[in-house]
């Protein structure tokens, strides 16, 4: 049975939807399995996540406009607009592969190094220019912690980032079961659509041969 265009298109649609999400899980799994905690900017973290789910937005556009250069351009423009509009503003970072209590200790240490005294139970301070404060929130599923500075200038934010990066580089970390699960899940998600296409290689070859004869 010769593979039809519809079946081939279905395989490619599955790959387009599953592939980016699998790559996102792979990235998060790798970040959570390194020997040292990883610090990335909040904007970059948001961009990675949005690109991973972008096929969910691109697929309806392609179905309406058809697969063409202009439909792909419209979809990519939508993704970049989403990053520009909704990405975290100001000074923010995400710490991967570190328990929340340990991350909190390092953040307070970095703030103290800048001469800012954080409260014992809350991440807030009023000693900086304009009332500097640091807000922290954790996401246990991905084993990360978001850090956001407000009320400070770029110089203070860069000093905080450098000090926090230095402390994280000296902090050992271990891969967790969650990281291993994410890596295995990402591998499986990448294999499934590839297997769907590979199984149909003979039919694809016959289809292309018929097209050019």
């Amino acid at each position: 049975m010769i593979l039809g265009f519809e079946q081939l298109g279905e395989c490619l649609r599955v790959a387009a939807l599953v592939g980016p999400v699998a790559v996102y899980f792979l990235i998060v799994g790798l970040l959570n399995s390194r020997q040292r905690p990883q610090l990335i900017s909040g904007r970059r973290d948001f961009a990675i996540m949005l690109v991973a789910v972008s096929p969910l937005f691109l697929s309806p556009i392609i179905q309406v406009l058809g697969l063409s250069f202009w439909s792909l351009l419209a979809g990519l423009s939508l993704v970049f607009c989403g990053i520009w509009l909704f990405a975290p503003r100001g000074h923010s970072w995400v710490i991967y592969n570190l328990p929340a209590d340990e991350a909190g200790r390092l953040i307070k240490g970095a703030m103290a190094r800048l001469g800012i005294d954080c409260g014992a139970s809350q991440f807030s301070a009023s000693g900086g220019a304009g009332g500097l404060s640091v807000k922290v929130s954790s996401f246990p599923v991905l084993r990360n912690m978001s850090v956001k500075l407000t009320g400070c200038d770029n110089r203070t934010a860069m000093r905080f980032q450098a000090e926090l990066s230095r402390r994280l580089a000296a902090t050992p970390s271990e891969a967790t079961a969650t990281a291993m699960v994410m890596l295995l899940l990402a591998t499986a998600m990448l294999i499934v659509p590839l297997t769907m296409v590979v199984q149909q290689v003979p039919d694809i070859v016959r289809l292309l041969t018929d097209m050019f004869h």
Side-chain angles (χ1 to χ4, degrees):
M1 179 179 178
I2 297 178
L3 179 68
F5 282 111
E6 293 184 359
Q7 290 177 279
L8 179 58
E10 185 64 27
C11 292
L12 294 177
R13 280 192 291 270
V14 171
L17 290 173
V18 174
V21 178
V23 171
Y24 177 70
F25 284 159
L26 180 64
I27 292 173
V28 174
L30 291 174
L31 288 172
N32 280 325
S33 59
R34 303 190 67 177
Q35 296 181 349
R36 294 289 186 272
Q38 301 298 304
L39 181 70
I40 63 176
S41 69
R43 196 172 186 85
R44 180 175 299 177
D45 182 72
F46 179 83
I48 293 173
M49 181 186 67
L50 188 60
V51 169
V53 301
S54 62
L56 299 177
F57 305 102
L58 295 177
S59 183
I61 294 176
I62 293 176
Q63 289 180 358
V64 173
L65 301 179
L67 183 58
S68 65
F69 169 79
W70 296 110
S71 62
L72 292 177
L73 181 61
L76 292 175
S77 298
L78 182 62
V79 172
F80 283 113
C81 286
I83 295 175
W84 184 76
L85 290 173
F86 301 108
R89 303 290 181 182
H91 311 291
S92 63
W93 303 267
V94 180
I95 303 173
Y96 280 92
N97 199 27
L98 194 65
D101 55 348
E102 180 68 9
R105 184 184 66 81
L106 294 179
I107 292 169
K108 287 183 178 181
M111 295 293 288
R113 182 70 175 177
L114 299 182
I116 301 170
D117 182 25
C118 289
S121 59
Q122 293 182 351
F123 289 94
S124 61
S126 59
L132 184 149
S133 66
V134 54
K135 298 180 180 179
V136 178
S137 59
S138 62
F139 192 13
V141 175
L142 298 181
R143 203 165 186 252
N144 66 21
M145 175 170 282
S146 298
V147 186
K148 183 176 179 63
L149 285 184
T150 57
C152 69
D153 55 22
N154 290 333
R155 181 173 178 275
T156 301
M158 292 302 100
R159 289 177 57 203
F160 171 79
Q161 178 180 338
E163 179 61 26
L164 183 57
S165 297
R166 184 186 67 81
R167 292 171 181 266
L168 291 173
T171 302
S173 187
E174 297 180 355
T176 64
T178 301
M180 296 300 100
V181 169
M182 286 188 175
L183 290 175
L184 291 174
L185 182 60
T187 302
M189 293 176 70
L190 289 172
I191 290 175
V192 169
L194 181 62
T195 302
M196 292 174 60
V197 175
V198 169
Q199 289 177 345
Q200 305 294 343
V201 167
D203 291 328
I204 294 174
V205 172
R206 286 195 296 269
L207 178 62
L208 294 175
T209 301
D210 293 339
M211 288 175 59
F212 291 101
H213 285 81

PDB file of all heavy atoms in Angstrom, residues 104 108 117-125 134-136:
ATOM      1  N   GLY A 104      17.492  29.705  48.424  1.00  0.00           N
ATOM      2  CA  GLY A 104      17.182  30.865  49.256  1.00  0.00           C
ATOM      3  C   GLY A 104      18.372  31.340  50.061  1.00  0.00           C
ATOM      4  O   GLY A 104      18.622  32.549  50.192  1.00  0.00           O
ATOM      5  N   LYS A 108      20.137  35.066  49.634  1.00  0.00           N
ATOM      6  CA  LYS A 108      20.322  35.978  50.761  1.00  0.00           C
ATOM      7  C   LYS A 108      21.790  36.331  50.945  1.00  0.00           C
ATOM      8  O   LYS A 108      22.126  37.480  51.255  1.00  0.00           O
ATOM      9  CB  LYS A 108      19.767  35.339  52.027  1.00  0.00           C
ATOM     10  CG  LYS A 108      18.248  35.283  52.077  1.00  0.00           C
ATOM     11  CD  LYS A 108      17.760  34.705  53.392  1.00  0.00           C
ATOM     12  CE  LYS A 108      16.234  34.694  53.454  1.00  0.00           C
ATOM     13  NZ  LYS A 108      15.721  34.155  54.723  1.00  0.00           N
ATOM     14  N   ASP A 117      20.284  43.810  53.538  1.00  0.00           N
ATOM     15  CA  ASP A 117      19.875  42.828  54.538  1.00  0.00           C
ATOM     16  C   ASP A 117      18.467  42.336  54.234  1.00  0.00           C
ATOM     17  O   ASP A 117      17.507  43.104  54.295  1.00  0.00           O
ATOM     18  CB  ASP A 117      19.922  43.459  55.927  1.00  0.00           C
ATOM     19  CG  ASP A 117      19.549  42.460  57.008  1.00  0.00           C
ATOM     20  OD1 ASP A 117      19.718  41.245  56.762  1.00  0.00           O
ATOM     21  OD2 ASP A 117      19.074  42.888  58.077  1.00  0.00           O
ATOM     22  N   CYS A 118      18.343  41.068  53.895  1.00  0.00           N
ATOM     23  CA  CYS A 118      17.032  40.461  53.655  1.00  0.00           C
ATOM     24  C   CYS A 118      16.465  39.957  54.974  1.00  0.00           C
ATOM     25  O   CYS A 118      17.186  39.498  55.848  1.00  0.00           O
ATOM     26  CB  CYS A 118      17.138  39.290  52.671  1.00  0.00           C
ATOM     27  SG  CYS A 118      17.489  39.800  50.985  1.00  0.00           S
ATOM     28  N   GLY A 119      15.149  40.000  55.086  1.00  0.00           N
ATOM     29  CA  GLY A 119      14.509  39.507  56.292  1.00  0.00           C
ATOM     30  C   GLY A 119      14.695  38.012  56.446  1.00  0.00           C
ATOM     31  O   GLY A 119      15.022  37.291  55.509  1.00  0.00           O
ATOM     32  N   ALA A 120      14.500  37.518  57.653  1.00  0.00           N
ATOM     33  CA  ALA A 120      14.712  36.095  57.922  1.00  0.00           C
ATOM     34  C   ALA A 120      13.668  35.225  57.253  1.00  0.00           C
ATOM     35  O   ALA A 120      13.933  34.084  56.898  1.00  0.00           O
ATOM     36  CB  ALA A 120      14.696  35.863  59.434  1.00  0.00           C
ATOM     37  N   SER A 121      12.473  35.742  57.064  1.00  0.00           N
ATOM     38  CA  SER A 121      11.403  34.900  56.527  1.00  0.00           C
ATOM     39  C   SER A 121      10.905  35.362  55.165  1.00  0.00           C
ATOM     40  O   SER A 121      10.182  34.648  54.504  1.00  0.00           O
ATOM     41  CB  SER A 121      10.207  34.880  57.492  1.00  0.00           C
ATOM     42  OG  SER A 121       9.719  36.193  57.704  1.00  0.00           O
ATOM     43  N   GLN A 122      11.281  36.576  54.758  1.00  0.00           N
ATOM     44  CA  GLN A 122      10.813  37.091  53.477  1.00  0.00           C
ATOM     45  C   GLN A 122      11.980  37.655  52.677  1.00  0.00           C
ATOM     46  O   GLN A 122      12.915  38.223  53.232  1.00  0.00           O
ATOM     47  CB  GLN A 122       9.767  38.190  53.677  1.00  0.00           C
ATOM     48  CG  GLN A 122       8.468  37.688  54.288  1.00  0.00           C
ATOM     49  CD  GLN A 122       7.454  38.811  54.407  1.00  0.00           C
ATOM     50  OE1 GLN A 122       7.771  39.976  54.200  1.00  0.00           O
ATOM     51  NE2 GLN A 122       6.234  38.450  54.737  1.00  0.00           N
ATOM     52  N   PHE A 123      11.903  37.478  51.378  1.00  0.00           N
ATOM     53  CA  PHE A 123      12.920  38.044  50.500  1.00  0.00           C
ATOM     54  C   PHE A 123      12.489  39.461  50.135  1.00  0.00           C
ATOM     55  O   PHE A 123      11.910  39.701  49.099  1.00  0.00           O
ATOM     56  CB  PHE A 123      13.090  37.188  49.249  1.00  0.00           C
ATOM     57  CG  PHE A 123      13.756  35.880  49.504  1.00  0.00           C
ATOM     58  CD1 PHE A 123      13.007  34.747  49.744  1.00  0.00           C
ATOM     59  CD2 PHE A 123      15.133  35.791  49.525  1.00  0.00           C
ATOM     60  CE1 PHE A 123      13.626  33.532  49.977  1.00  0.00           C
ATOM     61  CE2 PHE A 123      15.755  34.583  49.755  1.00  0.00           C
ATOM     62  CZ  PHE A 123      15.009  33.455  49.992  1.00  0.00           C
ATOM     63  N   SER A 124      12.799  40.387  50.991  1.00  0.00           N
ATOM     64  CA  SER A 124      12.472  41.767  50.677  1.00  0.00           C
ATOM     65  C   SER A 124      13.445  42.678  51.420  1.00  0.00           C
ATOM     66  O   SER A 124      13.999  42.308  52.450  1.00  0.00           O
ATOM     67  CB  SER A 124      11.024  42.115  51.079  1.00  0.00           C
ATOM     68  OG  SER A 124      10.859  41.950  52.476  1.00  0.00           O
ATOM     69  N   ALA A 125      13.681  43.836  50.872  1.00  0.00           N
ATOM     70  CA  ALA A 125      14.584  44.788  51.497  1.00  0.00           C
ATOM     71  C   ALA A 125      14.205  46.185  51.056  1.00  0.00           C
ATOM     72  O   ALA A 125      13.635  46.381  49.989  1.00  0.00           O
ATOM     73  CB  ALA A 125      16.035  44.491  51.115  1.00  0.00           C
ATOM     74  N   VAL A 134      13.735  41.751  46.319  1.00  0.00           N
ATOM     75  CA  VAL A 134      13.931  40.540  45.539  1.00  0.00           C
ATOM     76  C   VAL A 134      12.768  39.594  45.837  1.00  0.00           C
ATOM     77  O   VAL A 134      12.444  39.335  46.990  1.00  0.00           O
ATOM     78  CB  VAL A 134      15.292  39.862  45.840  1.00  0.00           C
ATOM     79  CG1 VAL A 134      15.471  39.605  47.331  1.00  0.00           C
ATOM     80  CG2 VAL A 134      15.429  38.565  45.069  1.00  0.00           C
ATOM     81  N   LYS A 135      12.109  39.145  44.780  1.00  0.00           N
ATOM     82  CA  LYS A 135      10.970  38.239  44.921  1.00  0.00           C
ATOM     83  C   LYS A 135      11.368  36.869  44.382  1.00  0.00           C
ATOM     84  O   LYS A 135      11.929  36.751  43.292  1.00  0.00           O
ATOM     85  CB  LYS A 135       9.768  38.783  44.158  1.00  0.00           C
ATOM     86  CG  LYS A 135       9.278  40.127  44.676  1.00  0.00           C
ATOM     87  CD  LYS A 135       8.077  40.630  43.881  1.00  0.00           C
ATOM     88  CE  LYS A 135       7.609  41.982  44.411  1.00  0.00           C
ATOM     89  NZ  LYS A 135       6.450  42.512  43.634  1.00  0.00           N
ATOM     90  N   VAL A 136      11.057  35.853  45.150  1.00  0.00           N
ATOM     91  CA  VAL A 136      11.449  34.496  44.804  1.00  0.00           C
ATOM     92  C   VAL A 136      10.224  33.598  44.777  1.00  0.00           C
ATOM     93  O   VAL A 136       9.368  33.675  45.645  1.00  0.00           O
ATOM     94  CB  VAL A 136      12.478  33.944  45.824  1.00  0.00           C
ATOM     95  CG1 VAL A 136      12.855  32.508  45.483  1.00  0.00           C
ATOM     96  CG2 VAL A 136      13.700  34.824  45.866  1.00  0.00           C
TER      97      VAL A 136
END
